[in-house]
Amino acid sequence: MGLSSAMQWWEEWQLRILVLASCFIQYVLFFSIWMRRAPILRRLRVLVWVAYIAGDAVAIYALATLFNRRNQTSDGESSALEVLWAPILLIHLGGQTFISAYSLEDNELWKRHTITLVSQVTVALYVFCKWGSGERMLLAAAILLFVVGILKFARKPWALRTASFNSLQASSSVSLPEAQSSAPIYSLEEY
């Protein structure tokens, strides 16, 4: 097996491998809830962290591969199921319901996730619009998955924004009555 045949094999199977890898990562994240609960399995937190980081990267890479494949094959020779992979990858980009951020610092990245949301939904919609098959059942399933994928993916930046430090600080501020607000404020260093 030469280098050219290996490259040809990768070109043919790349998208399938990436979608399967994204599914596997989502399963690891799904089952990681039990890793956090069991004291013995807490040592596998590095695996959860790697899966959390790799989940978005693999799904974005798969969407980019799907986008490039759509640009290269405009005659519709690719698989009819590829139209379903774009919304499924959007669902994967939404992540698991119970883990929107791995650490508190990740909550401050909600603007980056919003830009990722807009760009990846645009790519997925482009792939969907370039799909030229007339199968009505597959089209209906793809539209339903798109709605679910966009809503699930939009939930992630919203959850990060509402859990960000500035949002929590703004929601927990208590207004003081007039008499108390004019009183001098003392710091602990003065005592």
Side-chain angles (χ1 to χ4, degrees), residues 35-130:
M35 287 182 201
R36 293 186 303 178
R37 290 182 182 167
I40 296 171
L41 297 176
R42 285 189 185 154
R43 294 181 185 179
L44 298 175
R45 288 191 318 196
V46 173
L47 175 68
V48 176
W49 179 73
V50 168
Y52 175 76
I53 298 296
D56 287 349
V58 170
I60 289 172
Y61 185 51
L63 270 173
T65 302
L66 193 58
F67 176 80
N68 288 337
R69 184 176 286 207
R70 275 287 137 208
N71 282 338
Q72 293 170 357
T73 61
S74 59
D75 58 352
E77 73 179 43
S78 61
S79 171
L81 289 179
E82 285 183 6
V83 73
L84 295 178
W85 289 351
I88 288 171
L89 290 168
L90 286 179
I91 293 170
H92 289 180
L93 281 169
Q96 297 297 319
T97 306
F98 58 86
I99 182 171
S100 59
Y102 191 76
S103 66
L104 290 175
E105 291 83 13
D106 291 342
N107 293 333
E108 303 303 320
L109 301 175
W110 67 269
K111 292 177 186 175
R112 181 190 308 176
H113 284 280
T114 303
I115 292 171
T116 303
L117 166 72
V118 171
S119 65
Q120 297 307 313
V121 167
T122 304
V123 167
L125 286 174
Y126 174 80
V127 168
F128 181 71
C129 290
K130 292 293 258 183

